Amino acid sequence: MKIYTKVGDFGETALYGGAKVAKDDLRIRAYGTVDELNASLGVVLAQKLSKNLKTSLLEVQNELFRLGAELATPRGKNLKSRLIGISEITRLEKEIDAMEKKLKPLKNFILPGGSAASAHLHQARTICRRAEREIVTIHRAEPLRPEVLQYMNRLSDYLFVCARTANRDRKIADILWTA
């Protein structure tokens, strides 16, 4: 398989199933941002993390690939991969709850930073929020499954708690915002 196809040389690309769209199509923008989020998690995973955090983030990377595939599939086309569902959303919620039990309760807003892993997780969280906004834009034009929206919303919360956990694991305090 060749890496370059020359299909996109004039600003178009194909969705799953072959439909051609502009490279700035809502779907392309959304799954491109999901891909950016996945790449940012790769940067996080290249750093020293606990085994639990690493395993969980790898699972999220796989889920993001599945989500990207769904976003690249136009309505009416069947996707062969398993869709993100309630079980993935519930898993994120359980992991958030488990991590929060080990963290000091927040009494202030915190700034992104501390350890390198935490800073990169905060960056991933902001990319996740942008992807979520782009997915909401698609949803207004062409309704998506509610699980897609729910997953992205929960994922940004999960990444926030992961950032705090990465600091805790390195014995680095969260940076408090001073108003």
Side-chain angles (χ1 to χ4, degrees), residues 99-143:
M99 285 187 282
E100 279 193 313
K101 284 180 184 173
K102 297 176 184 175
L103 296 169
K104 291 179 184 173
L106 278 180
K107 296 178 181 174
N108 299 79
F109 287 107
I110 62 169
L111 300 176
S115 68
S118 177
H120 283 113
L121 281 158
H122 278 292
Q123 185 175 36
R125 174 186 53 79
T126 65
I127 296 168
C128 184
R129 287 287 190 206
R130 180 163 31 95
E132 181 183 14
R133 290 189 298 272
E134 290 174 356
I135 289 168
V136 167
T137 301
I138 293 172
H139 182 66
R140 272 196 236 114
E142 180 183 336

Side-chain angles (χ1 to χ4, degrees), residues 152-175:
M152 291 305 290
N153 185 265
R154 212 65 80 249
L155 182 58
S156 61
D157 296 335
Y158 163 83
L159 293 170
F160 177 80
V161 177
C162 284
R164 294 195 64 218
T165 298
N167 274 344
R168 188 210 69 217
D169 290 349
R170 304 285 287 165
K171 296 180 179 26
I172 297 173
D174 288 322
I175 304 166

Side-chain angles (χ1 to χ4, degrees), residues 4-109:
Y4 62 91
T5 62
K6 300 184 182 182
V7 173
D9 288 354
F10 300 101
E12 288 188 332
T13 191
L15 294 173
Y16 179 77
K20 292 211 176 180
V21 295
K23 285 193 172 188
D24 63 353
D25 182 84
L26 293 177
R27 283 185 175 277
I28 305 304
R29 292 172 59 125
Y31 78 69
T33 305
V34 168
D35 187 38
E36 181 183 353
L37 170 58
N38 209 336
S40 74
L41 292 178
V43 171
V44 171
L45 286 162
Q47 299 172 54
K48 187 174 181 177
L49 298 170
S50 70
K51 185 179 180 197
N52 287 345
L53 203 51
K54 190 168 273 216
T55 299
S56 181
L57 288 168
L58 279 167
E59 194 164 353
V60 168
Q61 279 194 303
N62 279 290
E63 291 165 355
L64 288 173
F65 239 80
R66 289 176 18 219
L67 183 66
E70 181 174 355
L71 293 170
T73 304
R75 184 171 264 199
K77 293 281 183 186
N78 287 335
L79 185 62
K80 293 177 183 167
S81 67
R82 191 167 57 92
L83 301 176
I84 296 297
I86 295 300
S87 64
E88 289 81 4
I89 296 163
T90 301
R91 182 186 52 76
L92 288 177
E93 291 170 349
K94 286 179 180 176
E95 290 188 27
I96 290 168
D97 293 343
M99 285 187 282
E100 279 193 313
K101 284 180 184 173
K102 297 176 184 175
L103 296 169
K104 291 179 184 173
L106 278 180
K107 296 178 181 174
N108 299 79
F109 287 107

